Amino acid sequence: MKIARNKWLVLAVVELGVLLCSIDATIVVLALPTMATDLGKSIADIQWVSVAYGITCASTLALAGKCADSIGRKNAYLIGFAIFTAASLASGLVTSFPLLVTLRVFTAVGTAFLLSSGNAIITSVFPKEQHGLALGLGATVFSLGVAAGLSLGALILHIATWQWIFLINFPVGLVALAAGAVVFDPAALGRPQQRRRQAVDWQGAIFLLGGLTSLLLGVESLVAVEWGLSLKLAALSVLLFALFVRAEHQAADPILPLWLFKVPEIFRGSVMRIIMRMAGAGVAFTLPFYLQRNLGLSPAAAGMLLLANVTVFAIAGPLSGHWADRWQARKLISIGLACLCLGVSLHLLLPDGVAKPDARVLGYVVLAQAVMGLGAAMFGSPNAKATMHSVAREHHAVVSGLLWTTTFIGQSLGTAVAAVVLGVAGSDGNAPLQNAWLVFVLMAAAVAVALGMSLRRSRAQKSYRISLGQTGEGIAILSPEEIAGLCRNAQSLSASGKTRPTSFRKAALRDLLRIIEANEGLMFDALRQDLGKPAMEAYMSEIFCVKEELRLSLKKLDAWARDEAVATPWWLWPARSWIRKEPFGTVLVLVPWNYPLQLALMPLVAALAAGNTVVIKPSELAPASAVLLQAIARLFEPGLVSVVNGGADTARSLLEQPFDFFFFTGGAEIGRQVALKAAAKGIPCVLELGGKNPCIVDESAPLALAARRIVWGKFFNAGQTCLAPDHVYVHRDAYEALLLEMAKVVGDFYGEQPWLSPDLAQIVNARHFARLLGYLEEGRVVHGGRYDTDARRIGPTLLADIVPNAAVMREEIFGPILPVLPYDDLSVLLDTLQSQPVPLAMYLHTRRRDTETLVLQRTRSGSVCVNDHLMQAGVPALPFGGMANSGIGRYHGRHGFDTFTHARAVLRQSTRWDNHLRYPPGDAKLVWLRRLLG
């Protein structure tokens, strides 16, 4: 997404329109009595100046949003401002009541375009991590406009006629129109959508407009207690909405896509917004009557008390938006609804019937209104952000219009319910209210329902807990035809574009995080069955690290996925260039047995964050983990995450499928086969292979500390770790001392019978167990060497005096056996290491910075860890991967997102100017080009 450089200026222009609309709506209501006198109309008649405006605005907001998404947000906003400005000017010049009502309808149409496109413009020019703040500032401006309208209206009516409340909009509107034309960049705000020529959905537009108008008129008639008319209008609205749904199903380009209501965030967000606005309007309608009739306050005094709500809202609105950019919006929404429920309930402390307005009673009013203002602020912008982020950017305007529509519907419902309960229409104009408490109870109960909706996970977010029955009794092996069909489903989902919006990706990542949190027990069990992993090792290496990767990706994804603007050479002016981050498509992840969950889930996190669909092939040597991964995949949308279990034949069948990316972790021999297949297909691949990782301990190292860390890093997961130190080179002066320290540490860590220790994992199978036992014959066992064949456990073993050309020094050990060799000259040792294959990791224990620098300069490896082991893999900002024969490619954190993302170069050149120097014939132009370009 292209981010406008003058985003704050754009926000100022947008909010100028919002401010004008909010002031206009408030100031007209204040001027209605004066209008009625001047035009010779009753209060019942003159209210249609306001009612027609409100109903038209609410009815056309969604339609205006759809138009903004279709014709471009800049065009929609300028059209709306033009209509609003022209209608305001005409309203100030007419003297006919019917014409005034008609012009207010046109003003409402302009307002609908301004409000619906305004939020969409904000989300277009601001980066996603600032959407909450920008939307919160907009809500504050709207509330300030409502408050300022009262004072400004009173001033205008005092010094001029009521016509000036409309005429004042004209010069302000002209300034805003000019500013919008200059400031708004269509490229940043969304250009008109390029579509095939197709019929406009006039039927859907008419039925939606008629249904909303009937609904709102029916609600207005409730205020006047006209039950018969209300029922007829309600029936008409139901009929029109039914016809609207039918029309939308048949329309090629529906005016309001019905699939929007299937998005949980939109459906629940709209319902909660209706309830929130209903409660606010119900209390706002009731409280002035109560303060004036029951407490005997003047209108001015009552208005001053109600300012507590607006004041707190204006202060807290931007703050809640800022917090929504950093925390989960759902939590802030719940907090806001809880505050609103509390604020409404505090009104129940007010005395029923006539009472004296003492300090205690007035304090209750101010406190209740302040808490309600805080609740409305905490709910508003987080709700708007969560709702708009649930769909792609091209639908933001229609969703914005939908949000404003629900706001107006909620306000109308709240006013109607309060009026019916209080019986205001038929009561004595000065009689105290008797049922104010009932309004407060009903509104608090409604908000409590909304709070329950916010706290309860939607049904779409199904249970994340996997029951033992779900895993079945064994691994499901697919035929080649079934594998091909599964891959086609994954590719179809990727090709549909559904996985591209960051909202979809983040939802998938949140689901994966919840699945892991809900099934940690099953993960512990699977790892214990496959490898006998101790719970501490299982948590650190297979659960915690994946959860941290998920949390980082959720926090940073919006920033990672944003289009990246790059410099364009001056001779291409006025072109613009940027890098667009796109998924590769469908990714195959081939998983080894040593970390069967982590090495499946970590690439999965990165691939999902990048917008890919993923097919995982677990190792057949870790069957319990494979079954669990199979069950996890079933909790996702079909095609998004798939697991194919089986052996070598299954892997070969998968490599023949038309994937877009291979990600392999395992041995070098199979890795070369994967790379050959990727080269034949012309697709990228990542190989995480491993190698013989050396560890150097010089004479300056603290031996006790080095021994603890070497023993921990080597024998973690019984040495079956690609990053583990494979062998140790120790300066001869420290050689014997280090062997003694390591032998002592092994005893401290694993006890007197370490091969039986519950803190030591088992060897994966009998073949690897037999291979490792062969290494024990190739040197002198300094410590350990005991084993349990039935349990496939080998005690941590230290080898010295290695025989020449021993296999233990040529092959990757991948087990709990550690050769320890002395060296005399570090330079000679480094020469030896340079001649050997490049390892995945290198370890150094020293207190000398010059030694550290020398080792870094004269060796190569995928990573280096100084004075520790394995921990470099726990730093999300560091890339994890090898080089040369230890692997190609990298992942973890941002590096994983980049690995699974195609950086697509984009240049857009202007059509308004063309440089003819590049076109033939060129002989005469070459001299000028060489002078110009150098």
Side-chain angles (χ1 to χ4, degrees):
M1 182 183 72
K2 181 181 182 300
I3 304 300
R5 294 178 181 176
N6 54 347
K7 60 185 179 182
W8 296 108
L9 190 57
V10 171
L11 179 65
V13 175
V14 170
E15 297 311 332
L16 178 59
V18 172
L19 182 66
L20 207 57
C21 292
S22 58
I23 290 176
D24 177 80
T26 307
I27 206 171
V28 169
V29 174
L30 191 66
L32 288 179
T34 306
M35 291 182 187
T37 302
D38 197 20
L39 296 174
K41 296 294 179 180
S42 66
I43 293 295
D45 290 332
I46 203 67
Q47 72 172 340
W48 280 100
V49 173
S50 178
V51 171
Y53 173 90
I55 290 177
T56 303
C57 190
S59 302
T60 55
L61 274 162
L63 304 181
K66 177 65 175 182
C67 291
D69 283 334
S70 300
I71 67 175
R73 283 75 184 268
K74 175 179 180 177
N75 294 337
Y77 198 83
L78 295 181
I79 289 172
F81 236 133
I83 295 174
F84 180 91
T85 304
S88 294
L89 175 63
S91 298
L93 298 177
V94 301
T95 56
S96 167
F97 172 72
L99 191 55
L100 178 61
V101 173
T102 303
L103 289 170
R104 289 300 290 168
V105 169
F106 280 99
T107 306
V109 172
T111 300
F113 273 91
L114 288 173
L115 295 181
S116 59
S117 59
N119 282 349
I121 289 174
I122 290 173
T123 58
S124 296
V125 300
F126 277 79
K128 288 188 176 181
E129 59 267 27
Q130 291 183 333
H131 281 180
L133 174 62
L135 292 172
L137 288 170
T140 295
V141 170
F142 188 87
S143 65
L144 291 177
V146 172
L150 299 174
S151 303
L152 184 60
L155 178 63
I156 292 175
L157 293 175
H158 179 70
I159 63 175
T161 62
W162 61 265
Q163 285 86 351
W164 280 98
I165 66 171
F166 301 117
L167 294 175
I168 198 173
N169 292 338
F170 182 72
V172 180
L174 289 180
V175 172
L177 270 171
V182 173
V183 172
F184 292 165
D185 180 5
L189 305 188
R191 293 184 181 276
Q193 296 178 8
Q194 301 297 322
R195 303 182 178 183
R196 298 189 301 257
R197 292 182 62 86
Q198 52 194 12
V200 178
D201 183 21
W202 292 113
Q203 279 191 349
I206 292 171
F207 289 143
L208 177 61
L209 185 61
L212 287 171
T213 302
S214 301
L215 174 65
L216 293 168
L217 283 173
V219 171
E220 287 292 333
S221 63
L222 280 178
V223 179
V225 200
E226 297 177 2
W227 299 103
L229 179 59
S230 295
L231 291 175
K232 292 176 183 178
L233 289 170
L236 178 60
S237 67
V238 170
L239 174 62
L240 291 172
F241 282 135
L243 293 173
F244 164 73
V245 171
R246 181 173 179 271
E248 295 309 272
H249 279 303
Q250 297 174 349
D253 183 23
I255 199 74
L256 182 61
L258 296 179
W259 63 263
L260 289 174
F261 297 97
K262 296 181 181 180
V263 179
E265 289 82 2
I266 293 180
F267 179 78
R268 289 187 289 113
S270 298
V271 173
M272 288 189 293
R273 183 170 282 260
I274 289 174
I275 293 175
M276 189 273 293
R277 297 305 303 174
M278 181 182 73
V283 173
F285 180 89
T286 303
L287 203 56
F289 283 102
Y290 176 87
L291 294 176
Q292 294 177 54
R293 294 188 183 183
N294 292 43
L295 300 186
L297 297 180
S298 66
M304 290 297 294
L305 293 176
L306 298 180
L307 280 178
N309 188 316
V310 178
T311 303
V312 173
F313 183 94
I315 296 172
L319 292 176
S320 72
H322 179 69
W323 294 332
D325 291 328
R326 282 153 177 77
W327 303 327
Q328 289 187 14
R330 195 167 74 98
K331 293 181 179 178
L332 293 173
I333 291 171
S334 299
I335 293 172
L337 290 171
C339 289
L340 187 64
C341 186
L342 175 62
V344 175
S345 301
L346 286 173
H347 289 87
L348 294 172
L349 298 175
L350 300 176
D352 196 17
V354 179
K356 292 182 179 181
D358 56 27
R360 180 177 60 86
V361 173
L362 299 182
Y364 286 152
V365 175
V366 172
L367 176 62
Q369 285 295 293
V371 175
M372 283 188 67
L374 177 62
M378 296 294 288
F379 174 90
S381 52
N383 170 259
K385 178 180 178 178
T387 305
M388 296 183 74
H389 279 197
S390 65
V391 296
R393 176 173 171 254
E394 56 265 28
H395 301 295
H396 278 189
V398 69
V399 173
S400 174
L402 191 60
L403 287 174
W404 281 108
T405 300
T406 56
T407 297
F408 279 90
I409 291 175
Q411 288 176 337
S412 298
L413 285 173
T415 302
V417 170
V420 170
V421 171
L422 298 175
V424 173
S427 67
D428 183 0
N430 296 314
L433 298 184
Q434 300 299 323
N435 295 324
W437 65 271
L438 183 55
V439 174
F440 301 142
V441 168
L442 291 175
M443 298 305 163
V447 178
V449 171
L451 178 59
M453 291 178 62
S454 175
L455 294 174
R456 183 179 65 86
R457 291 177 177 173
S458 67
R459 291 182 180 178
Q461 294 174 314
K462 52 185 175 294
S463 173
Y464 297 102
R465 187 171 297 279
I466 299 171
S467 67
L468 293 177
Q470 280 181 273
T471 61
E473 296 182 358
I475 295 177
I477 305 297
L478 303 182
S479 67
E481 294 76 17
E482 290 173 321
I483 291 174
L486 181 145
C487 294
R488 281 195 299 270
N489 291 339
Q491 289 156 358
S492 297
L493 180 61
S494 176
S496 71
K498 187 175 182 180
T499 64
R500 294 199 170 205
T502 53
S503 56
F504 180 92
R505 307 183 202 182
K506 291 169 77 172
L509 294 175
R510 279 192 291 268
D511 284 346
L512 181 56
L513 179 59
R514 290 165 183 161
I515 289 169
I516 293 172
E517 291 174 339
N519 298 284
E520 287 187 8
L522 291 180
M523 297 174 75
F524 282 123
D525 292 341
L527 295 168
R528 185 168 55 251
Q529 291 176 45
D530 288 333
L531 292 160
K533 279 200 177 185
M536 174 67 84
E537 289 188 4
Y539 179 76
M540 291 175 63
S541 64
E542 309 251 17
I543 299 174
F544 170 73
C545 59
V546 179
K547 289 163 66 174
E548 283 297 287
E549 186 82 355
L550 281 162
R551 294 183 182 113
L552 176 68
S553 297
L554 285 167
K555 181 179 180 181
K556 299 291 187 179
L557 181 56
D558 289 331
W560 293 347
R562 189 183 311 141
D563 288 354
E564 180 183 343
V566 296
T568 304
W570 65 268
W571 42 270
L572 285 176
W573 184 88
R576 293 183 179 180
S577 309
W578 67 93
I579 299 172
R580 179 179 172 86
K581 314 294 179 61
E582 295 186 347
F584 278 103
T586 301
V587 174
L588 173 63
V589 178
L590 298 167
V591 185
W593 52 261
N594 60 325
Y595 289 90
L597 296 180
Q598 184 223 119
L599 296 179
L601 298 177
M602 292 285 274
L604 175 63
V605 172
L608 290 178
N612 300 280
T613 57
V614 184
V615 176
I616 299 172
K617 162 61 177 71
S619 171
E620 67 276 16
L621 300 183
S625 298
V627 170
L628 182 57
L629 289 170
Q630 196 171 265
I632 288 173
R634 286 198 290 264
L635 297 179
F636 288 92
E637 178 175 343
L640 181 61
V641 180
S642 308
V643 170
V644 179
N645 279 309
D649 291 339
T650 299
R652 283 190 287 269
S653 179
L654 282 168
L655 290 173
E656 297 299 328
Q657 302 303 318
F659 286 101
D660 302 295
F661 197 107
F662 288 158
F663 188 99
F664 172 79
T665 306
E669 182 179 349
I670 300 177
R672 282 190 287 270
Q673 298 176 26
V674 173
L676 288 173
K677 285 291 185 182
K681 294 175 179 291
I683 64 173
C685 71
V686 167
L687 303 179
E688 299 289 348
L689 303 180
K692 291 185 71 64
N693 307 316
C695 173
I696 302 172
V697 182
D698 76 358
E699 65 275 25
S700 72
L703 296 184
L705 179 62
R708 281 199 304 274
R709 292 177 177 175
I710 292 172
V711 168
W712 176 80
K714 172 61 181 179
F715 302 118
F716 192 93
N717 196 30
Q720 301 168 115
T721 304
C722 58
L723 274 180
D726 185 87
H727 49 282
V728 179
Y729 293 104
V730 190
H731 193 277
R732 193 172 296 277
D733 293 344
Y735 182 70
E736 295 295 338
L738 182 65
L739 284 174
L740 290 174
E741 286 290 346
M742 287 196 292
K744 179 178 180 298
V745 171
V746 169
D748 292 342
F749 284 3
Y750 302 105
E752 295 181 359
Q753 295 180 310
W755 65 96
L756 300 178
S757 171
D759 293 311
L760 185 70
Q762 67 188 38
I763 306 305
V764 65
N765 61 19
R767 181 172 66 85
H768 284 282
F769 185 81
R771 176 183 62 84
L772 291 170
L773 291 185
Y775 294 149
L776 297 179
E777 307 299 325
E778 298 184 339
R780 176 171 60 91
V781 176
V782 176
H783 184 85
R786 301 286 299 274
Y787 54 87
D788 183 337
T789 304
D790 294 335
R792 300 197 308 276
R793 291 179 182 273
I794 300 175
T797 300
L798 305 178
L799 279 185
D801 303 332
I802 310 300
V803 300
N805 299 317
V808 75
M809 293 304 298
R810 289 184 283 106
E811 303 169 357
E812 185 176 4
I813 297 173
F814 227 63
I817 299 172
L818 180 62
V820 184
L821 302 94
Y823 75 88
D824 296 300
D825 188 315
L826 180 61
S827 181
V828 174
L829 174 61
L830 295 181
D831 288 338
T832 302
L833 293 178
Q834 281 184 323
S835 67
Q836 295 175 352
V838 179
L840 180 62
M842 175 169 285
Y843 298 98
L844 171 66
H845 289 267
T846 182
R847 282 184 172 143
R848 297 172 178 166
R849 288 296 175 89
D850 57 339
T851 300
E852 176 184 328
T853 302
L854 180 65
V855 171
L856 288 174
Q857 289 177 343
R858 295 189 55 187
T859 59
R860 295 192 303 163
S861 63
S863 65
V864 176
C865 187
V866 181
N867 294 323
D868 210 338
H869 288 261
L870 309 185
M871 302 309 292
Q872 71 270 32
V875 181
L878 290 177
F880 180 90
M883 64 180 296
N885 54 284
S886 63
I888 54 175
R890 58 187 184 177
Y891 70 123
H892 285 195
R894 174 65 184 267
H895 307 285
F897 175 85
D898 291 340
T899 289
F900 288 103
T901 297
H902 171 58
R904 190 178 186 184
V906 183
L907 181 141
R908 183 177 60 241
Q909 185 58 273
S910 173
T911 58
R912 299 179 181 179
W913 182 81
D914 196 17
N915 183 358
H916 292 274
L917 288 176
R918 59 178 168 170
Y919 299 131
D923 291 343
K925 302 173 184 177
L926 180 59
V927 174
W928 291 102
L929 277 176
R930 294 180 66 179
R931 289 180 179 178
L932 186 64
L933 301 180

